[in-house]
Amino acid sequence: MKNFVFILFFVFTGIQFFLVDINIIALAFFFLNYLLLMVIMYYHFFLEKEYSPFISAYLIFSLLFFVIAPLAQISKIDTVLPRYLNYLPYHWKQTIFANLCILIFNVVFFISYVFFKKYNNKVKPYKIRKRLPFDILVILVICVLILIFNIDFIQQKLMTPNWKLQLDKAKSIKIIISKVLFSIPLAGIAMCVMYFKKKNNKPINWVVILGSLIIFLLLILIFKNPFMEKRSGLGPIYFSLLFLFVPKLLNNNIKTTLILYLSLIIAMPILAVFTHINSSFIEVLKNPKIITGSLNKDVLLSNFNTLHFDAYANFLATIENVSFHGFSMGEQLSSALFFSVPRSIWPSKPLTSGQFLGNYLIEEHGFYFNNISNPFVSEAYLNFGVIGIVIFAIILAYFLTRALLFLKSDDYLKKVLAFFIAIHMIYFLRGDFTNGFSQLILVSFGIYVIPKSIKYFYQGTKLW
């Protein structure tokens, strides 16, 4: 199985280098990154003894967004007007520098990850509490109250296309409701699963917890569906449910890597039909052809040549922007680190890097909108150049090895949070950093911090 999957990735990705027609030097630098990723994959499949979905997500993102997609896009660039999907003019020499930056990031990240794993390997023991059924019922009551007090908001979301809701003046409050409060049922589900893992459960408690679990699942379907949430929020939530209920499906590095790969090239474009549709849930119910009419072979076959895979092109745009305007020296980073500070209090708050870069493409190259991605490596370069790339790679590696300790814990709140982080890494690495970071923090509050805080306040339970 290991050999077959590894060879499958090696051949399927490698054969693309013989099919594309681009500058041979530029192709060689793509090939260098491909070889390094194959080395990391070999380590992940054959040498890494621990289950680490974080590296699975990292590999799939890097292969799809920094090797396969850019090669597909460059090979189809119009020779009369050579430019990328984001209207940035194509220059093969520019791809060499971009691939060198990506190569540096991958090397530093991989070395740092292996190094930190040696020292971040102590998992704190966790004993399942006898009062866990009571904890679950408290979380259940809170989730039902969240549903009751947000019925109007849910109805508004279901009756209005997602893009129209962005103009709402109460956007910040509704983001907190959607990302934080609507994620709490996942914590309830994790606690229920943890209870069923516990031995010698009382029959009456077993029935109560099963009923609670069913309610939590219904709430997740209400709170987290394509008409209520974007792809970046849906994917990690539902993968986390698979992780909890079908652990044999996602219990080793090979299966997780393969499933994530298939999900990105098949499930993601299909899901985009639902999350990017200009119709509401009610309109789709009345006329299902709105969805079926959008599902055609082009949804899958042309996926790499769409803005869903614009990360590499946007990194090139960042390099060009920096060559004219210099590094932001942390200014762009501040909008992410202080995302919770509203613009009404901080009027000069920097735009997100995606908006910043989008405005640059509009002004300089006639692009048509500014809500674009900006990958993690690009964020590092935009702020501090190559030094930033090295620092960001080290920080990411350290963070993921710490998250690995959560994944190995017997505390299912820690475990489900860690797995959510692993799947979220694909969206986090694609960027932009502000959106990826803020969503990670907000959902973490819903999945872990709030449930732990509730138990802390009424029982003195430790948060960590």
Side-chain angles (χ1 to χ4, degrees):
M1 179 67 174
K2 289 182 180 180
N3 293 326
F4 174 75
V5 176
F6 179 77
I7 292 172
L8 186 68
F9 274 107
F10 187 84
V11 173
F12 185 78
T13 308
I15 199 171
Q16 188 178 18
F17 290 92
F18 298 95
L19 301 177
V20 297
D21 182 19
I22 67 173
N23 181 277
I24 189 65
I25 300 176
L27 188 66
F29 278 87
F30 276 109
F31 190 71
L32 279 176
N33 270 312
Y34 156 73
L35 287 180
L36 177 59
L37 291 174
M38 289 298 105
V39 170
I40 298 175
M41 184 175 286
Y42 183 86
Y43 163 82
H44 188 50
F45 285 3
F46 297 95
L47 303 178
E48 189 168 27
K49 297 179 181 179
E50 297 170 307
Y51 175 49
S52 179
F54 310 98
I55 299 302
S56 298
Y58 183 91
L59 281 168
I60 292 307
F61 169 81
S62 300
L63 279 172
L64 289 179
F65 288 84
F66 285 159
V67 178
I68 296 175
L71 283 176
Q73 292 166 14
I74 293 172
S75 65
K76 292 190 176 182
I77 283 179
D78 190 340
T79 54
V80 177
L81 185 62
R83 63 180 186 178
Y84 292 96
L85 298 169
N86 60 1
Y87 292 9
L88 182 77
Y90 167 71
H91 300 292
W92 66 267
K93 293 181 180 179
Q94 196 178 48
T95 66
I96 294 176
F97 181 72
N99 282 319
L100 277 174
C101 289
I102 294 170
L103 186 67
I104 292 170
F105 186 92
N106 287 334
V107 169
V108 174
F109 170 81
F110 180 51
I111 293 173
S112 301
Y113 176 81
V114 174
F115 173 79
F116 288 133
K117 272 191 68 178
K118 293 181 180 180
Y119 298 96
N120 292 335
N121 55 13
K122 294 182 180 180
V123 180
K124 294 181 180 180
Y126 181 82
K127 184 178 180 181
I128 298 177
R129 297 164 46 79
K130 292 181 179 179
R131 298 186 65 183
L132 181 59
F134 181 75
D135 298 338
I136 292 171
L137 289 178
V138 171
I139 298 297
L140 179 63
V141 170
I142 291 172
C143 289
V144 172
L145 289 175
I146 290 171
L147 173 65
I148 293 171
F149 285 107
N150 290 283
I151 286 292
D152 291 341
F153 172 53
I154 294 170
Q155 289 177 337
Q156 182 191 10
K157 291 273 284 186
L158 293 177
M159 295 177 65
T160 311
N162 279 330
W163 64 273
K164 287 187 178 180
L165 291 174
Q166 295 177 0
L167 303 176
D168 198 299
K169 292 181 179 179
K171 181 182 176 183
S172 298
I173 296 174
K174 292 185 176 181
I175 286 177
I176 292 174
I177 294 172
S178 179
K179 300 299 182 183
V180 180
L181 300 184
F182 285 2
S183 298
I184 296 178
L186 181 58
I189 293 170
M191 293 167 70
C192 289
V193 173
M194 181 166 59
Y195 174 81
F196 291 129
K197 295 287 183 180
K198 183 174 176 286
K199 296 180 180 179
N200 301 320
N201 295 321
K202 296 180 181 179
I204 184 64
N205 285 343
W206 199 93
V207 173
V208 171
I209 301 307
L210 179 60
S212 300
L213 176 60
I214 293 172
I215 296 173
F216 282 131
L217 288 170
L218 290 174
L219 288 171
I220 279 288
L221 289 174
I222 294 171
F223 293 159
K224 301 291 182 179
N225 61 72
F227 298 94
M228 293 286 294
E229 183 64 271
K230 295 180 180 179
R231 289 172 303 165
S232 59
L234 288 176
I237 291 287
Y238 282 94
F239 263 102
S240 297
L241 291 178
L242 283 175
F243 173 71
L244 288 172
F245 290 108
V246 197
K248 291 184 179 180
L249 185 66
L250 296 164
N251 63 353
N252 68 51
N253 296 331
I254 298 171
K255 287 191 284 188
T256 303
T257 304
L258 187 60
I259 290 171
L260 285 178
Y261 177 79
L262 294 175
S263 298
L264 264 291
I265 63 173
I266 298 175
M268 188 179 79
I270 293 176
L271 187 59
V273 173
F274 291 86
T275 57
H276 288 66
I277 199 166
N278 289 331
S279 303
S280 68
F281 175 72
I282 303 301
E283 292 170 333
V284 170
L285 279 182
K286 293 178 179 178
N287 184 17
K289 290 184 178 180
I290 294 175
I291 294 293
T292 57
S294 301
L295 292 171
N296 53 58
K297 64 179 182 179
D298 293 333
V299 169
L300 297 178
L301 297 180
S302 63
N303 193 38
F304 288 130
N305 288 294
T306 67
L307 291 174
H308 299 310
F309 286 90
D310 62 350
Y312 184 83
N314 291 339
F315 181 31
L316 293 175
T318 295
I319 294 172
E320 181 183 277
N321 176 278
V322 166
S323 68
F324 291 124
H325 304 291
F327 305 115
S328 76
M329 302 307 293
E331 182 180 356
Q332 283 302 131
L333 198 61
S334 64
S335 67
L337 298 179
F338 301 101
F339 71 90
S340 59
V341 180
R343 293 191 182 276
S344 58
I345 297 176
W346 185 7
S348 61
K349 183 178 179 179
L351 296 172
T352 66
S353 61
Q355 291 175 316
F356 171 79
L357 188 61
N359 288 341
Y360 172 79
L361 289 169
I362 291 171
E363 294 170 4
E364 299 297 329
H365 301 293
F367 198 50
Y368 53 92
F369 75 104
N370 70 349
N371 185 22
I372 64 175
S373 68
N374 194 31
F376 189 67
V377 63
S378 179
E379 191 87 37
Y381 185 78
L382 175 62
N383 281 278
F384 305 110
V386 175
I387 294 175
I389 289 174
V390 173
I391 294 173
F392 275 46
I394 293 172
I395 292 174
L396 180 65
Y398 178 79
F399 173 73
L400 293 186
T401 55
R402 296 297 299 178
L404 189 58
L405 299 182
F406 268 46
L407 186 70
K408 294 189 290 185
S409 173
D410 290 327
D411 181 350
Y412 270 67
L413 288 180
K414 287 185 177 181
K415 193 180 288 287
V416 75
L417 173 61
F419 193 81
F420 177 92
I421 291 171
I423 305 304
H424 179 71
M425 274 300 103
I426 293 175
Y427 304 100
F428 180 85
L429 292 171
R430 179 177 179 259
D432 63 20
F433 181 66
T434 299
N435 288 309
F437 179 75
S438 60
Q439 179 166 301
L440 179 60
I441 297 299
L442 292 173
V443 175
S444 296
F445 266 80
I447 294 175
Y448 186 84
V449 177
I450 290 179
K452 285 287 186 180
S453 298
I454 292 169
K455 291 197 291 183
Y456 173 79
F457 283 122
Y458 74 79
Q459 294 177 356
T461 306
K462 290 183 179 180
L463 279 168
W464 303 97

